[in-house]
Amino acid sequence: MIRYSLVCDNVHGFEGWFSESADFDRQVEAGLLTCPVCGSAAISKSLMAPSVSTARKKEEKQAVAMDLAQKQVIAKIREAVAAIKANAEDVGEKFPEEARKIHYGEADARGIIGQASFADVRDLLDEGIEVAPLPVLPEDAN
């Protein structure tokens, strides 16, 4: 059996076991391999170190790989949040009432961001008004 470290196009890492090298290629071509995290079928082999390291070194390598993957994901999320903020009006605490005005045609349709309590968000969703929270991300350690 051959063990490969695999990664999807969304940078989710996982491993797979194959009877031979060509088995991986056949499964990818047939669309049989998917990411266990997001379901993507765009799978590739990632760089692997020989399997001669100690358990401690293996844990350190996995931590470094995870840190890199996490940083890449957080960077993509930061880009998305910045794009949303750049194309939306910040209405602050008036978010629930502005969202309702837009939904019911009392105000021009536009992207808005602001603050709302959990209860306000639940009420908006119950009224059929689509809202979503923007994630709060950790500060860069660079």
Side-chain angles (χ1 to χ4, degrees):
M1 294 295 278
I2 300 172
R3 180 181 59 97
Y4 287 125
S5 290
L6 306 174
V7 64
C8 75
D9 58 343
N10 292 313
V11 197
H12 298 128
F14 56 101
E15 65 180 43
W17 292 80
F18 303 91
S19 59
E20 60 184 75
S21 180
D23 192 31
F24 167 80
D25 296 327
R26 281 191 297 271
Q27 289 186 32
V28 167
E29 288 176 22
L32 298 174
L33 283 179
T34 59
C35 175
V37 177
C38 68
S40 171
I43 308 297
S44 61
K45 297 178 200 172
S46 61
L47 293 176
M48 290 182 47
S51 185
V52 293
S53 63
T54 65
R56 184 175 180 180
K57 286 185 181 180
K58 182 178 179 182
E59 289 171 6
E60 289 171 4
K61 287 178 186 176
Q62 287 175 340
V64 168
M66 183 57 74
D67 286 345
L68 177 60
Q70 287 173 337
K71 286 180 183 179
Q72 290 172 336
V73 168
I74 288 174
K76 286 181 181 182
I77 294 171
R78 278 186 206 287
E79 288 175 22
V81 169
I84 291 168
K85 287 181 176 181
N87 294 297
E89 178 185 344
D90 189 345
V91 294
E93 294 179 6
K94 294 181 181 180
F95 181 84
E97 71 183 69
E98 285 297 315
R100 283 187 179 93
K101 286 179 185 177
I102 292 169
H103 180 76
Y104 294 111
E106 299 168 5
D108 291 336
R110 66 195 190 283
I112 60 171
I113 59 174
Q115 295 85 41
S117 69
F118 179 77
D120 286 334
V121 170
R122 186 179 54 234
D123 291 344
L124 290 169
L125 292 171
D126 286 346
E127 290 177 50
I129 302 170
E130 295 183 21
V131 296
L134 289 178
V136 177
L137 300 169
E139 295 297 320
D140 281 331
N142 298 340

